[in-house]
Amino acid sequence: FLGNGYSPERLRLGKFLASLRAEGIDVGLYGSWPQGIASGSNLYDFAHGAAIYQRAKFAISDQQWPQAVGYVSNRLFQAMAAGGAVVLQQAFLGLQEWIGVEPGIHLLTWKDFHELEGKIRQGLQHPELLEGMAERGQQYILANHSFDMRVHELWSRLQWQS
């Protein structure tokens, strides 16, 4: 997980993820966290972040405001664009409608820590279930949510209005 422990919800997530280490699951937390649970920091070091995602099996992405429709952190896009890791995104309203990614095809979603842990364990025990998911996610994000795609979309809208 690349992010900071700056809210009670985020601290709970970090502590939960760190607790999985005691069960033999190698969890990396990169950012500002309470002493002893951070694996490192890479604030705005996007190349280092991409390298971490490329070496990981999973990239965790949370949703701080689950009632917000269609909002998600840039973490989802960064992790998926990097490739390598299957993204485990906390479910939120509008994921498919606004972002276009499909759970089970491009990424996995989770609602609570119990479900998150179950998906991590299942993926580690049965990697064949995840085969190709990170690649499909990466291809989708690069094709539909890149900077070039946003410029094209904006340019198309400006031309339509003139």
Side-chain angles (χ1 to χ4, degrees):
F1 182 84
L2 279 66
N4 296 309
Y6 60 77
S7 69
E9 296 83 13
R10 183 64 70 75
L11 286 170
R12 279 194 291 278
L13 174 61
K15 288 177 182 178
F16 164 75
L17 291 171
S19 76
L20 297 177
R21 293 172 179 157
E23 300 176 39
I25 297 175
D26 184 17
V27 174
L29 289 170
Y30 295 85
S32 177
W33 293 95
Q35 189 173 16
I37 68 170
S39 305
S41 184
N42 70 331
L43 186 63
Y44 299 123
D45 185 343
F46 298 111
H48 182 236
I52 292 168
Y53 287 134
Q54 290 164 357
R55 288 190 312 270
K57 288 183 177 44
F58 297 106
I60 310 299
S61 184
D62 63 343
Q63 173 51 296
Q64 292 269 351
W65 301 278
Q67 300 309 315
V69 178
Y71 169 80
V72 67
S73 165
N74 62 318
R75 179 177 301 101
L76 171 69
F77 301 100
Q78 288 175 292
M80 290 183 78
V86 170
V87 172
L88 284 160
Q89 171 64 53
Q90 187 174 14
F92 64 91
L93 299 170
L95 174 67
Q96 287 181 263
E97 298 82 3
W98 290 93
I99 311 298
V101 293
E102 295 183 49
I105 303 294
H106 303 113
L107 78 171
L108 296 173
T109 58
W110 56 279
K111 293 182 179 90
D112 56 37
F113 295 165
H114 177 73
E115 187 175 15
L116 175 59
E117 181 178 1
K119 291 191 177 187
I120 291 170
R121 289 186 184 285
Q122 184 179 33
L124 292 174
Q125 292 169 359
H126 301 283
E128 70 277 4
L129 298 175
L130 306 175
E131 209 166 288
M133 191 176 296
E135 292 83 9
R136 287 189 301 273
Q138 181 184 37
Q139 290 169 0
Y140 180 84
I141 289 298
L142 293 176
N144 295 283
H145 294 288
S146 67
F147 179 79
D148 289 342
M149 191 54 128
R150 287 294 169 264
V151 170
H152 174 75
E153 181 182 20
L154 178 60
W155 184 248
S156 296
R157 289 179 187 219
L158 290 172
Q159 286 182 327
W160 177 80
Q161 292 180 5
S162 53

